[in-house]
Amino acid sequence: MLAISLLVLLHEGGHFFFAKLFGVRVEKFYLFFDWKFSLFKFKPKNSDTEYGIGWLPLGGYCKIAGMIDESFDTEQMKQPVKDYEFRAKPAWQRLLVMIGGVLVNFLLALFIYSQILFWWGDTYIPVKDMTLGMKFNQEAKSYGFQDGDILVGTDKRPFKDFSADLYRDISEAHRVDIIRDGKPMSINLSGELNLLGMLKADPSFVRPLLPATIDSIMAGSPAEKAGMKAGDCILAVNGAPIDSYNEFVDQLGRREDMLLTAKTQADSLKARTVVIVYQHATAPADSSLFTLHSSLNPDTATVVLTPELKLGFFAKSLADLYTPQTTEYGFFESIPAGIKYGWHVLASYVDDMKYVFSAEGAKSLGGFGAIGSLFPPMWDWYMFWKMTAFLSIILAFMNILPIPALDGGHVLFLLYEMITRRKPSENFMIRAEYVGFGILILLMVVANLNDILRWLGYL
């Protein structure tokens, strides 16, 4: 709520700034919508603008006199044109008023990214340093990847860190360079893998391989009751060999399907009951952790998982296994670096928009729930500002789309006017605003319905 409120205020502030700069009257400036009533409002003495906070937290607005917008104030448009109205100003001034919000959001994102690099630097674990390699799903293995492969780069560039960019580079690559068993190799690809499918696959197309070794155990957990201890290695679940923590998570994921279809308490208990084979740290163990040997003389325990299907232990994280690398930036160095990073984020987001027009892409649309899931459950200033900058980039791009009712729709009609010297009729603009507003409402309903369906487990 804080991030969105900040972005909405500054976005509308961009419109407000240029409107005031050119002498256009701003009648209302609101955070959230005040349909029927507002939570708070005030109008300074000798001011034409009413400021307030609405009750409907779906954005905000800046009501500009003499403009056809989401307020649908058609009565005002029937009156004679006044010199302080939006429609009375030259097209170039109206254009700047309309792009003011997008401009502020874009510049704000670049500024935040620059400050993130200045204050925190760029900390990451280089993919080439992940010496345990990666864990791949069946689709990836069909292209030639094998568990334990160390990813190096593609025909485009070396891999930096494990992020969405790595997936994107693989999806567009014709050659992926790897190290397998200490030897450099290359895997040839088509250059046209489905990025959305790779990201949504379960198990994932590729993940850093984590050992199935217990780092710590929660008090009172099923793992503790079974006698497991820190340092123990899990070797099998229900007879299926475990070669990594990734495989352990996948095996428990299969129990989730059973739990979802359970109709009785007995069915639920059956889904939660698993047989765990594990090796104590003090006993001889296969150092690779990838093969189950009968000579290990492992222990076996029948365990009832928690209702959330948790065994109750923590494995080592990437930060525990590898040393993160930090690139620090001075104040002036951070500015071009932040601009470069922000532009890369925007370019990647625009490139991924092509998936929205597919069936799977439509299912991937998210509303307020999806936005909320971007933020961590505990307060973290670094993640707060990083996600705020990302949302600012999205807000800028989405608003400049040539859809009536969005800033981009108004910009499109203004460019048409500037090129043809003909202004679209007010009736046409009103009808276009209704169409655009309907499209936005439909998109909002679909996106938030997807959130609900994901929460219910249908997506």
Side-chain angles (χ1 to χ4, degrees):
M1 291 296 289
L2 178 60
I4 292 176
S5 298
L6 176 66
L7 297 179
V8 168
L9 280 173
L10 292 175
H11 177 92
E12 299 303 333
H15 296 306
F16 184 90
F17 171 79
F18 283 106
K20 288 294 188 180
L21 181 66
F22 299 130
V24 179
R25 179 176 294 179
V26 178
E27 297 176 347
K28 299 178 78 172
F29 185 93
Y30 264 74
L31 172 65
F32 306 152
F33 292 109
D34 60 329
W35 182 62
K36 300 297 185 182
F37 68 94
S38 60
L39 300 177
F40 168 78
K41 63 181 179 180
F42 78 99
K43 189 173 185 179
K45 188 177 181 180
N46 301 322
S47 174
D48 299 313
T49 307
E50 176 185 298
Y51 302 88
I53 300 176
W55 64 271
L56 190 60
L58 298 179
Y61 69 99
C62 182
K63 188 177 186 305
I64 296 174
M67 175 183 168
I68 298 172
D69 57 13
E70 61 270 17
S71 67
F72 299 108
D73 189 357
T74 56
E75 291 301 318
Q76 184 184 70
M77 304 305 293
K78 296 176 182 178
Q79 305 300 318
V81 178
K82 301 177 180 62
D83 59 1
Y84 59 76
E85 289 185 333
F86 177 80
R87 54 182 171 167
K89 303 300 178 180
W92 69 270
Q93 291 185 3
R94 285 180 279 139
L95 180 64
L96 286 174
V97 172
M98 291 316 307
I99 66 173
V102 168
L103 182 63
V104 167
N105 281 134
F106 182 63
L107 294 178
L108 174 67
L110 300 184
F111 174 75
I112 293 176
Y113 281 133
S114 297
Q115 291 304 296
I116 287 174
L117 293 176
F118 173 64
W119 287 102
W120 285 283
D122 184 14
T123 300
Y124 61 97
I125 298 172
V127 174
K128 63 180 178 59
D129 292 348
M130 297 181 184
T131 52
L132 289 178
M134 298 287 161
K135 179 74 174 176
F136 299 90
N137 67 7
Q138 289 304 313
E139 180 192 0
K141 290 177 180 177
S142 71
Y143 298 129
F145 292 103
Q146 292 183 14
D147 291 340
D149 286 350
I150 300 172
L151 295 177
V152 177
T154 69
D155 49 323
K156 287 188 172 184
R157 55 179 169 263
F159 293 121
K160 179 188 174 186
D161 57 355
F162 189 83
S163 64
D165 285 337
L166 181 140
Y167 278 81
R168 184 174 291 105
D169 287 350
I170 292 177
S171 72
E172 298 172 353
H174 290 91
R175 188 194 76 242
V176 179
D177 298 323
I178 63 170
I179 295 176
R180 179 179 296 167
D181 298 326
K183 299 177 182 179
M185 295 181 60
S186 293
I187 294 175
N188 295 320
L189 298 176
S190 66
E192 298 178 350
L193 299 187
N194 186 300
L195 175 60
L196 184 61
M198 293 168 65
L199 290 169
K200 293 187 67 176
D202 185 21
S204 300
F205 185 91
V206 57
R207 298 160 288 171
L209 195 151
L210 300 173
T213 304
I214 296 175
D215 187 54
S216 60
I217 291 181
M218 298 174 62
S221 66
E224 185 185 59
K225 294 175 182 177
M228 297 181 184
K229 298 177 181 178
D232 290 355
C233 178
I234 296 178
L235 303 176
V237 175
N238 287 343
I242 298 298
D243 61 8
S244 61
Y245 179 71
N246 313 75
E247 183 64 31
F248 172 77
V249 172
D250 293 344
Q251 288 294 333
L252 292 195
R254 295 184 177 96
R255 311 302 291 183
E256 185 175 356
D257 296 334
M258 293 176 59
L259 192 62
L260 289 173
T261 57
K263 297 181 179 179
T264 65
Q265 187 174 359
D267 292 338
S268 176
L269 183 62
K270 182 179 179 181
R272 292 165 53 202
T273 303
V274 295
V275 178
I276 304 289
V277 179
Y278 63 98
Q279 179 68 49
H280 281 304
T282 55
D286 176 11
S287 59
S288 71
L289 302 178
F290 298 154
T291 308
L292 176 61
H293 294 297
S294 58
S295 60
L296 292 179
N297 191 27
D299 288 321
T300 301
T302 300
V303 180
V304 178
L305 304 173
T306 67
E308 296 79 24
L309 294 179
K310 302 294 183 184
L311 185 56
F313 76 93
F314 297 99
K316 287 185 179 295
S317 67
L318 286 178
D320 296 324
L321 294 168
Y322 309 111
T323 303
Q325 175 178 312
T326 300
T327 303
E328 296 184 349
Y329 295 86
F331 180 78
F332 293 106
E333 293 175 313
S334 69
I335 295 173
I339 293 173
K340 181 180 179 181
Y341 184 85
W343 187 258
H344 172 71
V345 171
L346 176 61
S348 300
Y349 184 77
V350 172
D351 184 57
D352 294 344
M353 282 295 292
K354 60 179 177 285
Y355 295 106
V356 173
F357 302 101
S358 65
E360 282 300 311
K363 293 178 183 178
S364 298
L365 288 174
F368 297 111
I371 293 173
S373 68
L374 295 174
F375 292 84
M378 302 295 289
W379 187 268
D380 183 324
W381 277 111
Y382 171 80
M383 288 304 298
F384 170 78
W385 287 118
K386 191 173 183 179
M387 290 301 100
T388 299
F390 179 62
L391 291 175
S392 195
I393 285 277
I394 293 177
L395 188 60
F397 175 73
M398 295 301 292
N399 265 281
I400 205 62
L401 292 176
I403 299 174
L406 290 178
D407 297 342
H410 291 281
V411 168
L412 178 66
F413 295 135
L414 281 167
L415 291 175
Y416 168 81
E417 178 185 342
M418 294 172 72
I419 294 170
T420 65
R421 305 292 181 181
R422 295 170 55 194
K423 182 185 292 189
S425 70
E426 291 180 358
N427 284 335
F428 171 80
M429 293 294 289
I430 291 171
R431 287 195 296 269
E433 194 76 12
Y434 275 114
V435 171
F437 199 71
I439 293 173
L440 295 182
I441 292 295
L442 178 62
L443 285 173
M444 186 175 294
V445 169
V446 170
N448 285 284
L449 180 60
N450 282 350
D451 284 346
I452 295 172
L453 292 176
R454 273 190 287 268
W455 180 66
L456 294 174
Y458 291 105
L459 276 183

